[in-house]
Amino acid sequence: NPAARSAAGFLVSDTRNRAPIAVIPWLRARNVTIVKQLLVMYQWVNVNLTSARRSTECRSMPIIKSLLLLLLLPVCFKTLATTLTFVDQDGQSLSDVVVTGNSTQPAATQQSNEPVIMDQVDKQFVPHVLLIKQGQQVAFPNSDNIRHHVYSFSEAKPFEIKLYSGDDSAPVTFEKPGIVVLGCNIHDSMVGYIYVQDASRTWLSDTDGKITVPDNVTEIEIWHPHLDVVKTTKQSVTLSENKALQTIRLNLKARPKPETQSNTFGKRTFGH
């Protein structure tokens, strides 16, 4: 049974009547289609294996059957994925996009006992957006040579860490899911965000605005700090079917201008 190679894929033919078994478009088909095609090929070979054994011209049929099994197994167990790229209204890559999907795969529950880090560098929270799991702890080291006073009035986690420097603050536990907006009571331009996820599958876009999600995710919920001035607005999007690469454009609201920095404490009162 000679195999005729074509640009679209591999064509396996019967030596006697030249009837094609199947064509696999390796370059164009998605893995789900490949699985179906391999199953059709395997069924054809299995049905004709008995008659093929009687023919001196088809002695390679068992070999073809074994090869099809080898091709089928890794494809069946492979986790398919879709790559999403987020851009703003100007086409610029958008980092810090939090995406929650309707994947049937449960989110990983195992997490480290070590606190996650939200640092303070050059009067900025680093990272700007931190994605954590419900129940995780966050440490707030101060890498600046000046003191900060971290606080949040957010419903998910109201707290404050009074004037401190270095690593003198205890980690904070975030028991409830939600969006926590951070500020500094001394430097008003310092704003950061902690997104506390629940049991849903959640991802954070990288500096290129990219996220890779399982192929079975069809509906996503998007959050970004500049989707709306209230900072908690989310946007629902339906993903295109059978499309491994997708670009999603978000219309961001005008970013607020930084307030004039104050170096005196007491501008806000926690809890009011």
Side-chain angles (χ1 to χ4, degrees), residues 7-242:
F10 299 104
L11 175 64
V12 181
S13 302
D14 185 350
T15 306
R16 293 172 298 177
N17 55 22
R18 297 317 222 184
I21 296 176
V23 175
I24 307 176
W26 296 99
L27 300 179
R28 294 184 301 171
R30 296 192 57 138
N31 287 8
V32 174
T33 304
I34 293 175
V35 170
K36 293 178 180 178
Q37 292 169 334
L38 288 174
L39 286 172
V40 171
M41 293 174 65
Y42 182 79
Q43 184 179 13
W44 190 94
V45 172
N46 197 43
V47 170
N48 290 274
L49 183 57
T50 303
S51 59
R53 283 173 178 169
R54 301 193 189 104
S55 172
T56 56
E57 298 178 350
C58 298
R59 292 176 180 175
S60 62
M61 194 68 73
I63 299 177
I64 295 176
K65 181 180 178 181
S66 299
L67 289 174
L68 288 175
L69 276 176
L70 291 175
L71 288 171
L72 182 61
L73 288 176
V75 176
C76 288
F77 288 100
K78 183 178 179 181
T79 301
L80 307 180
T82 300
T83 299
L84 308 177
T85 301
F86 293 90
V87 297
D88 62 15
Q89 55 265 47
D90 299 321
Q92 299 298 313
S93 299
L94 202 55
S95 61
D96 296 329
V97 178
V98 177
V99 172
T100 302
N102 65 339
S103 173
T104 56
Q105 301 176 5
T109 56
Q110 185 177 3
Q111 60 190 39
S112 172
N113 293 327
E114 293 294 323
V116 185
I117 301 298
M118 173 61 87
D119 206 345
Q120 296 154 84
V121 182
D122 295 331
K123 298 180 182 179
Q124 296 182 45
F125 288 104
V126 179
H128 184 56
V129 174
L130 178 64
L131 177 62
I132 67 171
K133 295 181 175 64
Q134 182 178 356
Q136 275 192 290
Q137 288 188 324
V138 177
F140 293 85
N142 180 1
S143 296
D144 286 337
N145 57 3
I146 56 176
R147 292 192 297 175
H148 292 301
H149 184 124
V150 177
Y151 72 93
S152 175
F153 294 146
S154 299
E155 181 180 354
K157 186 64 179 182
F159 73 99
E160 70 171 336
I161 307 174
K162 294 183 178 180
L163 286 169
Y164 73 101
S165 59
D167 299 327
D168 295 337
S169 64
V172 178
T173 303
F174 291 78
E175 302 91 350
K176 295 172 59 178
I179 300 164
V180 179
V181 183
L182 304 175
C184 176
N185 217 340
I186 303 176
H187 310 100
D188 293 335
S189 62
M190 288 181 61
V191 180
Y193 305 88
I194 297 179
Y195 192 105
V196 187
Q197 69 180 88
D198 54 16
S200 305
R201 296 292 300 273
T202 308
W203 303 267
L204 180 68
S205 67
D206 58 20
T207 54
D208 295 323
K210 295 185 181 299
I211 294 176
T212 300
V213 301
D215 196 62
N216 59 1
V217 173
T218 57
E219 301 282 341
I220 60 174
E221 192 174 62
I222 300 169
W223 175 84
H224 188 273
H226 300 301
L227 270 180
D228 200 286
V229 293
V230 299
K231 306 300 183 183
T232 56
T233 298
K234 298 180 181 180
Q235 179 177 330
S236 298
V237 174
T238 301
L239 300 181
S240 303
E241 295 183 4
N242 301 324

